[in-house]
Amino acid sequence: MRLALLADLHIGMHRAHLVQPLLDAIATARPDNLVIAGDLVQRARRGLFAEAQALLDRTGVPWLCVPGNHDIPLLDLPGRLLSPFRAYQRAVQGPREPLLELPGLKIIGVNSTFPYRWRNGRITQRQIDRVRHLSRSGPVMVVQHHPISLLPGETKELMLNAEAARAAYDAAGVSLVLTGHLHQFNIAGSVSGMTQIHAGSVLCDRPEDPPNEFALLDIEGDVFTLTRMIAASDGAGFIAQPPIQLPKKR
Ligand SMILES: [Fe+2]
Ligand SMILES: [Fe+2]
């Protein structure tokens, strides 16, 4: 089974010239599902969500998504506090915390956005308990927008309760945690075998970001293999990097 892992499309502040190369790369890779770790759009407007939805639907691959901080209103305070997901749910009709059981891997979506703390988000004890409960059977990948740990040298603030989530996921036997938000790819392993995949941004046009990228995750038996697909500076599309073997499923 193969998944394509995406994050931080930021439609509205994205590199439009990378859309077709992204669609081509996904068509060539033929993943079974797309998993998207939030920030579909730059601003939580209906038109931008419609554009994001159209792009994802054009892949012809079933997709699963969780919201990021850019997917809820920033400046429209009443909208942010009273109906933060109104525009998001026009593009994403399913639950904000989806659950997908695939052969060999259960994917648990967690909504880490928090309207009172727009940028940094939070996770609640109820959400942590849900992951713990769902992790009792079979290998699990958690997908959420906000990371549960920072990259080396990163100065951004973590979401509220990130440390509690990290410890609980690790203790519950979660295999993989996919997050976005930092726009910087990294892999971090725990001593007990949980792997955090910090996704890069697939399309965002922020000048200070590293090159855009997404990743393919192949699951064969109990082996996970990750292949980064990085956008070439010469416009040659998303180029596959040497595969990375992740710790085995647990
Ligand atoms: Fe982002
Ligand atoms: Fe974000």
Side-chain angles (χ1 to χ4, degrees):
M1 189 183 56
R2 166 171 276 186
L3 304 176
L5 311 180
L6 281 68
D8 296 276
L9 282 71
H10 285 262
I11 297 298
M13 196 179 87
H14 67 290
R15 298 197 165 103
H17 68 276
L18 286 180
V19 169
Q20 192 56 49
L22 174 64
L23 293 171
D24 292 344
I26 290 172
T28 303
R30 296 167 54 92
D32 299 286
N33 280 83
L34 311 183
V35 182
I36 305 149
D39 280 358
L40 287 179
V41 295
Q42 174 66 11
R43 288 284 166 252
R45 298 189 193 119
R46 284 167 59 172
L48 295 179
F49 278 115
E51 199 177 327
Q53 181 185 18
L55 187 162
L56 294 169
D57 287 347
R58 276 173 68 194
T59 65
V61 181
W63 52 275
L64 165 156
C65 182
V66 292
N69 54 304
H70 280 267
D71 298 323
I72 63 175
L74 170 62
L75 301 174
D76 169 16
L77 205 58
R80 167 145 54 102
L81 299 181
L82 298 175
S83 54
F85 300 104
R86 180 181 285 173
Y88 175 81
Q89 300 261 225
R90 288 179 175 273
V92 186
Q93 274 93 30
R96 290 193 290 274
E97 301 207 303
L99 174 64
L100 181 64
E101 302 207 35
L102 296 168
L105 189 69
K106 189 188 288 185
I107 302 176
I108 305 173
V110 173
N111 171 16
S112 59
T113 63
F114 183 38
Y116 292 92
R117 202 166 179 266
W118 181 82
R119 187 179 308 281
N120 296 321
R122 74 149 180 199
I123 185 164
T124 64
Q125 190 57 49
R126 183 196 62 76
Q127 290 173 301
I128 293 171
D129 289 344
R130 170 175 169 264
V131 171
R132 195 187 279 142
H133 178 75
L134 290 171
S135 303
R136 282 184 191 154
S137 60
V140 157
M141 176 166 80
V142 173
V143 53
Q144 60 187 49
H145 183 64
H146 293 87
I148 52 175
S149 67
L150 291 177
L151 306 181
E154 173 71 52
T155 52
K156 263 187 183 170
E157 218 179 316
L158 276 174
M159 67 172 177
L160 291 176
N161 297 331
E163 180 52 34
R166 195 200 56 71
Y169 292 178
D170 204 4
V174 169
S175 295
L176 304 171
V177 183
L178 172 69
T179 56
H181 193 58
L182 300 179
H183 296 203
Q184 168 109 35
F185 177 86
N186 191 59
I187 292 182
S190 78
V191 177
S192 60
M194 180 171 76
T195 303
Q196 294 173 58
I197 305 170
H198 296 268
S201 162
V202 67
L203 290 175
C204 187
D205 192 20
R206 211 162 60 182
E208 66 268 31
D209 285 351
N212 296 95
E213 66 177 288
F214 69 101
L216 299 172
L217 178 69
D218 287 300
I219 302 152
E220 284 167 37
D222 62 352
V223 176
F224 293 122
T225 307
L226 191 83
T227 304
R228 296 172 71 185
M229 303 288 293
I230 302 184
S233 55
D234 61 1
F238 288 84
I239 309 295
Q241 307 300 305
I244 304 167
Q245 212 74 59
L246 301 181
K248 289 191 173 185
K249 283 200 271 187
R250 52 183 195 158

